[in-house]
Amino acid sequence: MRTTAHVSRPVSWQRRALHVLLILAVVCFMSVFLLLPLAVVFVEGLRGGIAAFIDTIGQREALASMRLTLLVAAIAVPLNLIFGVAAAWAMTRFQFRGKALLGAFIDLPFSVSPVISGLLYVLLFGAQGWFGPWLEQHGVRIIFAVPSLVLVTIFITLPFVARELIPLMQAQGSEEEEAARVLGATGWQMFFRVTLPNIRWALMYGVLLCNARAMGEFGAVSVVSGHIRGLTTTMPLEIEMLYNGYNEYDHIGAFAVASLLALLALLTLAVKTLLEWRYSDQIAPHTPGGH
Amino acid sequence: MTLLLSHLSRHFTDAAALDDVSLAIAPGEFLALLGSSGSGKTTLLRILAGLDYPQSGSVTRGGHDLLSMNARERKVGLVFQHYALFRHLTVTENIAFGLRVRPRHARPSRTEITDRVEKLLKRVQLEGYGGRYPAQLSGGQRQRVALARALAVEPDLLLLDEPFGALDAQVRIALRRWLRNLHEELGLTTVFVTHDQEEALELADRVAVMNRGRIEQVGSPEAIYQQPATPFVCEFIGKVNKFELQREQDRMICGALDFGADLWAKRYDRAVAYIRPEHLALATDTGWKARLRHIYLAGSVAHLELALDTSEQLIEVDVASEDLLRLGLQQGAELYVQARTATVFPLANDTGEAKSEDRRVLRPHQQPY
């Protein structure tokens, strides 16, 4: 609106109407498909009042599911952080045979249905799977236990960090790293003083996305979990079980846990926005120059 | 300490970047590696910096093997073509980088580092810019920061990759002179890579002309320009008119043009001759008959395009603009051209390859002036 006020040429009412119409359309779409469902989650969760809400999420199974979700994310996200950086490094700094293939494999978890990802792990480690009997003999249980949840979550969230970093590292090139080497930096010094500062924002986005998916994953986790309440149910599984009434139908319980999960997602979003706002000056001006 | 490169070869999967390159670089020398892209000059520079390695050959400095040293031990400063400044660090932090990454026992104290950075900022005329980020500097300023950063580690050898390639024409010329002065002050052995022959000839003590992974000629700028050793150098440096010669008994001729006596005792049947535009002179009565096709006035010099009467070949002649006025020449005028010196390479009878070692200078028209 401010810009139109400065234009000497009168803006036709059709143009202005179009502006308003477009903005309205976006707002409506967002409201119906995003805000409304989000609001429903909280409203339904709090339907029985604050006391019922606290009572529900204070139950043993609910607390266990929260602990499990955080535990799975706490293992999967750091591992994928390391893998993502290493993969992005390999993809952008080295020439080797099968590089295109590696790129395709990094994308695999995006293209394969999560249910299939879960099934793959059952086929590998399940009782009738390839390694299942051997593991059974040695007293290691993976499927229908916590290790399988961690494994499939790593699989599902594997592309996030690498995919965020590869285009950036490609664009930045390796000249700064080479400059650091010539100036006498060791490999680690080069990484921590030059590479990491240059990719930190992309890395942070990648980690946040990875984390959001790790906490929210349902399909793959559902296949391998075995749904043992209090032991192998993460928050998304707990919500589904409460809602569909595997044990007893618990509408309020489902939405109470769902609202907690949504809250975690909103928190992630808030952290990202806060960091963006706080460091906007650093994100913007550090575009490569001098070309 | 003389830097000795011997028989360096580097092959990439598709082509040879360096093919048996040998070169000696004297202490304090300012050497230019001149060549078009793909000539191997940047590969050579990267090998000296320790960013690439040859498949065979050696590099020694004062008898010590440079290739087995890591970057820190090499004491080499490198300025990248696009400077490669650390974008997340200030100018001061950029310059101090090489000192700060040293192991504790070799690292200067904090105040020493600050002092040295201040001195370097003064040296590259960027006092007061220490707190800025690279993105806040102009191209010329960035280049000087890159230079200060390379000098901060007190290298024995300074390498510059296309140091003026990314700059405006005016800044480029100013920085060129400034760099030459700096070199004279520091006396640091300096090797720079360029594709710009003017830059190489103006700036360097010696120029190495590279082509397809080989060094075609090494010599002073005068020698490179006046006594080109190979056909490639003739064609690459400056402008040149090319003639294909044939031996007729004991004369070398190009159609009806007589280039003089055969100097190779009938060993070769064919040869190629190069004549620079300024080595051709206009005359009114004798010489090669030609017609004036175009006049390109470029300030003090006029470039004339002539068609030779006998062969229809187009040649270029440079004359002083004053002379052109004095002669009152117009397009289409008929005149005579005299060649004072021609550099001739005989061609092997079997392969047709130019025999650079049998190069001779012919004087088709013995002209006093």
Side-chain angles (χ1 to χ4, degrees):
Chain A
M1 287 299 111
R2 203 166 60 90
T3 48
T4 52
H6 286 282
V7 177
S8 54
R9 176 169 55 93
V11 178
S12 66
W13 67 268
Q14 288 107 322
R15 272 180 73 102
R16 195 170 301 179
L18 190 66
H19 280 194
V20 174
L21 213 66
L22 273 174
I23 293 168
L24 264 176
V26 171
V27 170
C28 286
F29 196 87
M30 291 258 296
S31 306
V32 172
F33 287 97
L34 273 174
L35 296 177
L36 200 63
L38 200 63
V40 164
V41 169
F42 289 102
V43 169
E44 290 295 317
L46 290 164
R47 175 160 297 222
I50 292 283
F53 177 84
I54 291 172
D55 190 41
T56 312
I57 63 171
Q59 281 176 4
R60 199 181 64 82
E61 288 87 1
L63 284 175
S65 74
M66 285 173 224
R67 264 201 305 274
L68 188 57
T69 289
L70 292 176
L71 173 75
V72 167
I75 298 171
V77 173
L79 281 177
N80 270 332
L81 167 76
I82 294 167
F83 169 80
V85 173
W89 189 279
M91 289 289 292
T92 57
R93 298 294 184 257
F94 302 133
Q95 293 299 328
F96 55 91
R97 259 168 216 261
K99 188 165 149 174
L101 207 63
L102 177 64
F105 274 125
I106 291 175
D107 282 337
L108 192 68
F110 275 167
S111 47
V112 172
S113 156
V115 175
I116 297 182
S117 312
L119 273 174
L120 295 178
Y121 279 82
V122 173
L123 287 175
L124 273 182
F125 302 115
Q128 270 81 49
W130 287 11
F131 307 115
W134 185 85
L135 289 167
E136 197 83 30
Q137 280 167 20
H138 293 78
V140 181
R141 192 165 177 77
I142 291 187
I143 299 299
F144 303 153
V146 175
S148 69
L149 300 177
V150 175
L151 285 175
V152 295
T153 305
I154 289 172
F155 181 85
I156 290 294
T157 58
L158 184 135
F160 285 98
V161 174
R163 275 290 147 216
E164 201 70 34
L165 292 183
I166 287 169
L168 179 76
M169 287 175 72
Q170 219 139 38
Q172 288 185 340
S174 54
E175 274 208 337
E176 285 183 46
E177 283 147 8
E178 290 184 338
R181 289 312 291 258
V182 175
L183 286 167
T186 63
W188 289 116
Q189 281 175 325
M190 175 191 74
F191 180 74
F192 284 109
R193 288 170 186 245
V194 177
T195 310
L196 203 55
N198 279 341
I199 61 169
R200 60 187 161 185
W201 295 110
L203 190 62
M204 190 196 75
Y205 290 149
V207 166
L208 286 175
L209 287 174
C210 181
N211 184 53
R213 183 65 189 268
M215 293 194 303
E217 174 57 24
F218 175 81
V221 168
S222 172
V223 175
V224 298
S225 136
H227 302 270
I228 308 161
R229 279 192 77 193
L231 284 177
T232 66
T233 50
T234 59
M235 287 172 82
L237 297 179
E238 181 74 12
I239 293 163
E240 202 258 353
M241 289 179 76
L242 288 172
Y243 186 77
N244 283 337
Y246 281 71
N247 297 324
E248 76 272 23
Y249 181 71
D250 186 353
H251 185 82
I252 291 182
F255 278 100
V257 181
S259 59
L260 263 187
L261 191 58
L263 207 63
L264 280 176
L266 287 177
L267 203 70
T268 306
L269 204 64
V271 169
K272 172 176 168 282
T273 312
L274 189 75
L275 284 170
E276 262 174 15
W277 170 74
R278 171 73 182 73
Y279 295 104
S280 56
D281 54 325
Q282 288 188 26
I283 298 170
H286 291 286
T287 47
H291 291 264
Chain B
M1 282 186 292
T2 303
L3 195 62
L4 213 58
L5 290 64
S6 48
H7 306 293
L8 288 178
S9 288
R10 173 79 171 94
H11 298 272
F12 293 121
T13 43
D14 45 345
L18 288 180
D19 186 6
D20 194 30
V21 167
S22 296
L23 184 64
I25 302 168
E29 189 172 28
F30 202 165
L31 179 89
L33 296 175
L34 174 63
S36 47
S37 63
S39 62
K41 56 193 196 305
T42 300
T43 305
L44 189 55
L45 200 76
R46 289 173 64 84
I47 286 174
L48 291 178
L51 294 173
D52 203 343
Y53 289 87
Q55 271 118 1
S56 60
S58 69
V59 181
T60 59
R61 184 171 55 198
H64 297 286
D65 181 16
L66 206 67
L67 293 178
S68 66
M69 294 181 190
N70 65 32
R72 202 193 319 261
E73 295 161 337
R74 283 191 190 203
K75 303 197 82 178
V76 164
L78 172 61
V79 177
F80 287 78
Q81 182 174 6
H82 298 297
Y83 322 128
L85 295 177
F86 305 126
R87 66 195 90 186
H88 63 289
L89 300 179
T90 63
V91 168
T92 300
E93 289 163 340
N94 261 284
I95 297 174
F97 187 91
L99 301 172
R100 289 196 177 145
V101 295
R102 285 186 181 175
R104 194 172 297 267
H105 63 86
R107 196 187 311 154
S109 72
R110 198 163 293 195
T111 51
E112 242 173 287
I113 291 177
T114 315
D115 280 357
R116 212 187 281 184
V117 170
E118 276 307 312
K119 266 187 208 138
L120 281 163
L121 279 174
K122 195 184 275 183
R123 164 138 270 154
V124 299
Q125 300 163 359
L126 284 173
E127 286 164 290
Y129 284 84
R132 297 224 189 163
Y133 285 93
Q136 298 166 314
L137 301 177
S138 71
Q141 289 168 337
R142 280 182 211 166
Q143 205 230 22
R144 282 178 281 152
V145 174
L147 193 63
R149 183 177 70 176
L151 291 174
V153 295
E154 298 181 325
D156 290 338
L157 172 65
L158 183 62
L159 305 173
L160 309 161
D161 188 5
E162 297 277 3
F164 312 102
L167 299 172
D168 301 338
Q170 282 193 326
V171 181
R172 192 183 304 178
I173 288 171
L175 262 178
R176 223 191 258 174
R177 303 264 154 88
W178 176 81
L179 189 65
R180 178 74 224 188
N181 289 337
L182 187 77
H183 175 258
E184 265 149 34
E185 270 176 55
L186 299 173
L188 192 59
T189 312
T190 305
V191 177
F192 77 102
V193 154
T194 182
H195 66 276
D196 182 341
Q197 45 170 300
E198 196 186 313
E199 201 168 282
L201 297 178
E202 180 182 319
L203 210 51
D205 298 328
R206 273 200 315 155
V207 178
V209 182
M210 294 192 68
N211 177 35
R212 289 190 290 169
R214 289 173 162 274
I215 292 183
E216 294 266 339
Q217 185 177 4
V218 191
S220 67
E222 293 78 28
I224 296 279
Y225 189 81
Q226 302 294 353
Q227 295 134 34
T230 68
F232 175 83
V233 178
C234 279
E235 291 182 33
F236 188 68
I237 306 286
K239 275 190 289 191
V240 80
N241 296 299
K242 184 180 178 181
F243 298 88
E244 276 158 21
L245 307 187
Q246 245 149 9
R247 183 173 61 81
E248 188 108 338
Q249 301 302 326
D250 59 347
R251 308 294 293 178
M252 299 305 292
I253 59 161
C254 172
L257 306 180
D258 187 1
F259 272 73
D262 168 30
L263 300 174
W264 299 277
K266 299 190 176 175
R267 272 185 296 139
Y268 302 106
D269 293 335
R270 289 180 302 136
V272 58
Y274 294 97
I275 307 178
R276 293 209 184 280
E278 70 267 29
H279 292 155
L280 287 167
L282 300 182
T284 46
D285 42 5
T286 60
W288 300 335
K289 203 169 175 205
R291 210 174 49 251
L292 184 55
R293 293 268 303 248
H294 271 296
I295 301 174
Y296 302 100
L297 258 180
S300 58
V301 180
H303 307 294
L304 310 184
E305 188 183 280
L306 294 103
L308 287 171
D309 245 19
T310 51
S311 60
E312 290 293 306
Q313 188 181 350
L314 290 181
I315 58 169
E316 191 168 317
V317 179
D318 284 359
V319 296
S321 298
E322 276 179 40
D323 293 346
L324 187 72
L325 279 176
R326 195 163 41 77
L327 293 169
L329 285 174
Q330 296 293 323
Q331 208 165 307
E334 297 222 327
L335 41 79
Y336 291 89
V337 180
Q338 299 190 343
R340 275 170 283 173
T341 59
T343 305
V344 185
F345 300 91
L347 302 176
N349 288 340
D350 44 356
T351 60
E353 217 173 288
K355 308 294 276 185
S356 298
E357 63 275 17
D358 274 340
R359 161 191 175 278
R360 295 280 188 283
V361 174
L362 296 183
R363 297 178 194 286
H365 302 98
Q366 291 290 350
Q367 191 65 18
Y369 129 97

